[in-house]
Amino acid sequence: MKAKSLLLGFLVGGAAAGISTLLTAPASGRDARQYLKDSKHTLKTQLSELKAEIIDIKNSASFASKEGKSAFKEFSKDIKHSINNWKNEILPHQHELQRELQEIEAAIRELETNLNSNK
């Protein structure tokens, strides 16, 4: 009995929904079909425009990616060049500083030797 009443409820509910839909429809069947045809054309146009815009965005992103990669390579090359120039500029000073440090170490050893011999 439960299955019979459930089935009857579905049938009555479906019929009520169908009738209420027909009675509350905003336009006749002919008008609704015409509206759908017009909407279909508008939707196709909008989708075509959207597709073209997406392709343009994809192409722009691809171009920006290539340009960015190229700019990064150029920037990296410039940084390497600057670092090498800096190393070459400080190299003479580095040797001079190492020589001066060796002289200071020799002077400290000599001073320690003098201090130890005076004791």
Side-chain angles (χ1 to χ4, degrees):
M1 189 71 181
K2 278 186 172 181
K4 204 179 226 184
S5 63
L6 181 65
L7 183 59
L8 184 62
F10 276 129
L11 288 175
V12 170
I19 291 170
S20 66
T21 301
L22 287 174
L23 292 176
T24 59
S28 69
R30 182 178 298 146
D31 293 340
R33 285 190 296 275
Q34 185 61 39
Y35 174 75
L36 289 175
K37 284 180 184 178
D38 295 342
S39 296
K40 177 182 161 187
H41 177 68
T42 303
L43 184 60
K44 278 186 176 181
T45 304
Q46 289 175 345
L47 286 176
S48 295
E49 290 172 2
L50 181 62
K51 180 181 175 183
E53 289 176 11
I54 288 174
I55 289 172
D56 287 344
I57 290 171
K58 179 187 148 248
N59 291 339
S60 296
S62 176
F63 177 75
S65 174
K66 288 177 185 175
E67 287 296 313
K69 188 176 181 180
S70 173
F72 183 76
K73 284 182 181 179
E74 188 67 30
F75 176 72
S76 177
K77 189 185 340 176
D78 289 345
I79 292 293
K80 287 178 183 177
H81 181 70
S82 296
I83 289 173
N84 285 334
N85 284 344
W86 178 75
K87 284 180 180 180
N88 291 335
E89 287 176 7
I90 66 164
L91 189 62
H93 301 290
Q94 183 180 7
H95 292 303
E96 185 178 325
L97 286 173
Q98 286 175 346
R99 185 184 51 77
E100 288 177 5
L101 280 173
Q102 289 173 351
E103 289 175 2
I104 291 171
E105 287 175 351
I108 290 173
R109 278 192 296 262
E110 184 179 328
L111 182 61
E112 285 176 345
T113 305
N114 288 340
L115 285 174
N116 287 337
S117 65
N118 287 338
K119 285 186 180 180

